[in-house]
Amino acid sequence: MTRSIKDRLCSLIAIFLIAGGAGSLAAQTTGSSIALVPIATGLQSPVAITHTPNDSRLFITLQGGKVMIHDGTRVLATPYLDISRLVSCCGERGLLSIAFHPRYAQNGFFYVNYTGGLGDTVIARYKVSATNRDRADPGSETIILEIDQPYSNHNGGQLQFGPDGYLYIGMGDGGAGGDPQNRAQNLMSLLGKMLRIDVDRGARYEVPSSNPFVGQSGAAPEIWSLGLRNPWRFSFDRINGDLWIADVGQSALEEVDLQRADSRGGQNYGWRRMEGTQCYNPATNCNDGALTLPVIEYGRSMGCSITGGYRYRGSRYQRLQGLYIYGDFCSGTIWGASENAAGKWTPSVLVQSSLSISTFGEDLVGELYVADIDKGIVYQIVDTEQRNAPRRRAARR
């Protein structure tokens, strides 16, 4: 997780507006009409929400090792995938995300990121059942990449296919505090990096020839960018292809990094030299001008562990159009950041909630969802001023 579940650094804020905890959560911000409407309850530690490239089902990853399907009206009783026996859980370990191949409708492939029995990161490919689209074949696992984890925290865990068709893998710095071995700046280590691989070539994968460190001595070719502490959720803008990365801070600042779609990779986001826009180690003269600074940051008065989201590109809620929507695990705050003509991003509070925000998710048509890991609820983000907009029905396992 972004922080160990037992390690609460911030108090949770606000209240449920409907008794029982499963009703709508409305914004506490003056003038806001954004609400969180539950679509699924009774889940055990949801940590990721995604969809296939070709249908409207939501796939909800549970930290203990299961993936559940929400079919539009309910959560199916039988898991799509159950690899609990393979997964080391919990704290910041577990089954952390799932990503469907862009040609899933043709090849049935999807990829998972989990911590195995020894606590190391495993990236594996599975295939859907040949006879039941709501079930994966549990015997179809092919491990494509394993990465040693020296500590139990900062595993990253997000998988996403980019607009280029390559698989992107967000890796934390390996854990402990302060990145003691400086792995995020070490180009020989895959930790503290964004990786990019081609899963359609090679026995397991190939490295795209356009990766920025291909052919460079002393650098792992899988690296796409570096200087990350614990990228807890990244996403691609479905309209323009920009890459948004939320990186959890050490003790002072949470940050959001933005890589434009025309980038050739190689960005250094600064950790551990910098935490956000401040020097960390060394304490002074940390930026030689080669670092890429965040477009958004916030301090401990506003939260303690960022959870990255998505730029809203749905069609139902025009007032949300173009906002980058993200939240904080500790404070429960959900922000929407907008860009001005000068390219500066300014966040505004959309919802002040009581959620322990573990993930955001996007469905096939770009509508957004958010999960509370402690309460086991997935909510849809709605604008109540557009009350006639259709939304999913609440479902309970």
Side-chain angles (χ1 to χ4, degrees):
M1 301 297 21
T2 52
R3 291 278 190 259
S4 172
I5 303 307
K6 296 181 180 179
D7 182 19
R8 293 288 190 261
L9 300 180
C10 305
S11 60
L12 298 176
I13 304 173
I15 58 172
F16 278 113
L17 297 185
I18 297 179
S24 297
L25 281 170
Q28 298 299 300
T29 306
T30 302
S32 175
S33 62
I34 307 306
L36 308 179
V37 177
I39 67 159
T41 63
L43 300 166
Q44 186 66 42
S45 300
V47 292
I49 305 165
T50 191
H51 63 92
T52 75
N54 58 297
D55 70 70
S56 60
R57 294 172 297 168
L58 288 180
F59 290 74
I60 305 168
T61 300
L62 307 184
Q63 188 179 8
K66 297 179 181 180
V67 178
M68 309 304 296
I69 294 177
H70 187 286
D71 68 358
T73 59
R74 63 192 177 105
V75 176
L76 302 187
T78 302
Y80 174 72
L81 178 70
D82 185 353
I83 56 170
S84 304
R85 62 184 178 82
L86 302 177
V87 173
S88 174
C89 186
C90 288
E92 296 187 18
R93 291 173 169 172
L95 177 58
L96 300 178
S97 73
I98 176 175
F100 291 92
H101 193 285
R103 296 193 301 279
Y104 176 74
Q106 290 75 43
N107 61 29
F109 291 152
F110 64 95
Y111 297 79
V112 299
N113 184 324
Y114 67 89
T115 49
L118 297 177
D120 295 331
T121 290
V122 178
I123 311 298
R125 186 188 73 199
Y126 282 85
K127 190 171 184 178
V128 69
S129 166
T131 59
N132 185 348
R133 77 176 197 136
D134 290 331
R135 297 292 302 275
D137 178 358
S140 64
E141 181 183 43
T142 298
I143 294 176
I144 64 169
L145 180 62
E146 294 181 273
I147 302 172
D148 291 344
Q149 290 285 357
Y151 304 100
S152 64
N153 57 338
H154 301 181
N155 298 297
Q158 181 75 32
L159 296 178
Q160 288 269 1
F161 279 93
D164 52 17
Y166 297 134
L167 182 63
Y168 288 71
I169 305 167
M171 294 300 302
D173 64 10
D179 193 5
Q181 283 77 45
N182 200 23
R183 291 182 172 90
Q185 292 296 318
N186 180 0
L187 287 174
M188 289 295 292
S189 173
L190 297 182
L191 298 174
K193 312 296 191 302
M194 185 68 68
L195 311 180
R196 185 176 80 147
I197 60 175
D198 184 349
V199 296
D200 291 327
R201 299 179 182 275
R204 296 185 300 166
Y205 69 88
E206 286 188 4
V207 173
S209 60
S210 55
N211 273 15
F213 300 105
V214 168
Q216 179 175 320
S217 177
E222 293 90 347
I223 296 172
W224 177 248
S225 57
L226 66 148
L228 296 169
R229 182 177 179 274
N230 192 32
W232 189 254
R233 301 317 180 211
F234 66 88
S235 64
F236 289 94
D237 185 327
R238 63 167 54 205
I239 298 296
N240 64 26
D242 288 348
L243 172 58
W244 290 84
I245 307 169
D247 199 17
V248 179
Q250 174 67 35
S251 57
L253 294 170
E254 307 298 305
E255 70 179 76
V256 178
D257 301 309
L258 172 59
Q259 183 191 80
R260 295 296 185 180
D262 59 1
S263 168
R264 297 183 178 181
Q267 283 81 4
N268 186 340
Y269 296 111
W271 177 252
R272 69 180 187 180
R273 290 162 61 182
M274 300 189 76
E275 180 184 6
T277 56
Q278 296 179 4
C279 287
Y280 181 80
N281 186 359
T284 60
N285 299 319
C286 58
N287 188 359
D288 58 5
L291 304 182
T292 299
L293 300 182
V295 295
I296 301 168
E297 66 176 13
Y298 63 89
R300 287 295 175 266
S301 66
M302 301 171 67
C304 73
S305 186
I306 193 169
T307 298
Y310 292 79
R311 198 166 182 194
Y312 179 75
R313 298 300 195 181
S315 60
R316 294 178 182 171
Y317 310 118
Q318 290 306 305
R319 295 192 308 157
L320 298 179
Q321 192 60 235
L323 295 182
Y324 175 66
I325 296 176
Y326 63 102
D328 188 87
F329 174 78
C330 304
S331 70
T333 308
I334 297 176
W335 293 273
S338 59
E339 185 181 21
N340 65 18
K344 179 180 178 182
W345 290 87
T346 302
S348 299
V349 174
L350 296 180
V351 178
Q352 189 66 75
S353 80
S354 63
L355 275 60
S356 297
I357 300 171
S358 57
T359 191
F360 290 82
E362 187 181 45
D363 67 17
L364 183 66
V365 296
E367 299 305 320
L368 298 186
Y369 304 82
V370 61
D372 183 318
I373 190 171
D374 289 344
K375 298 182 179 71
I377 303 175
V378 171
Y379 301 85
Q380 184 173 1
I381 298 174
V382 305
D383 185 341
T384 59
E385 287 192 0
Q386 299 182 24
R387 296 181 184 276
N388 293 327
R391 58 177 181 255
R392 292 171 180 258
R393 297 178 183 177
R396 186 176 181 89
R397 285 189 59 209

